[in-house]
Amino acid sequence: MAEHPHAALVRKGYEAFATGDMETLAGMMTGDCTHHSPGESQMSGHFKGRDNVLAHFGRLMELTDGTFRVEVEHIFPDGRGHVMSVHKWHGDRGDRGIEMKGGLFFTIVGDKVSDVDECVEDIDEADAFWGKAE
């Protein structure tokens, strides 16, 4: 059975993220795409607009000296413009490493991602890893 087009879109996004292909990621987002990151760390907040979302992704790499990576485990489309994904993310920051499950809830409009809500397994641990805003 063929993969649902929205699931394929999300999978393509994970692959582009993993290879640092920001051009492909940018082309998959609406101009006003928003990424919502949980918690109260310097990586938390609402990043509105394609350029701000991509800058947020760049900051993940910057803070982890390029060690941040995500391994997709499951992708679940609803056939009505939403996709849930489950993944494991890893990174090293200073003398601290982290490995945590998380997920994203995508809203897709016109075959582009318009909104991404992020959830993590342990908000307090994620906040401790990322640290407060500098």
Side-chain angles (χ1 to χ4, degrees):
M1 184 182 326
E3 186 172 46
H4 188 277
H6 292 162
L9 179 73
V10 168
R11 189 173 306 284
K12 180 180 175 183
Y14 271 98
E15 290 166 0
F17 183 88
T19 60
D21 185 353
M22 295 299 127
E23 185 176 327
T24 294
L25 277 175
M28 298 172 65
M29 296 178 204
T30 61
D32 64 348
C33 181
T34 303
H35 184 105
H36 311 273
S37 291
E40 297 180 14
S41 76
Q42 64 181 318
M43 294 308 296
S44 302
H46 306 283
F47 303 89
K48 186 162 179 65
R50 180 187 306 124
D51 291 342
N52 289 325
V53 172
L54 294 173
H56 175 67
F57 294 164
R59 186 85 170 126
L60 294 169
M61 294 300 179
E62 178 186 327
L63 289 174
T64 62
D65 292 325
T67 65
F68 188 84
R69 67 189 190 287
V70 179
E71 299 167 11
V72 66
E73 295 180 354
H74 303 287
I75 296 175
F76 306 107
D78 73 354
R80 297 176 289 123
H82 302 105
V83 176
M84 287 185 346
S85 66
V86 176
H87 58 250
K88 187 180 296 180
W89 58 278
H90 312 260
D92 295 309
R93 187 157 185 258
D95 62 352
R96 182 181 188 137
I98 195 167
E99 177 178 297
M100 185 179 294
K101 287 191 183 262
L104 301 171
F105 184 80
F106 297 86
T107 300
I108 299 170
V109 176
D111 295 325
K112 292 195 181 236
V113 174
S114 67
D115 197 79
V116 182
D117 278 299
E118 180 181 358
C119 296
V120 295
E121 187 174 44
D122 185 333
I123 292 173
D124 292 335
E125 181 64 22
D127 281 348
F129 177 76
W130 292 116
K132 295 289 181 190
E134 297 172 357

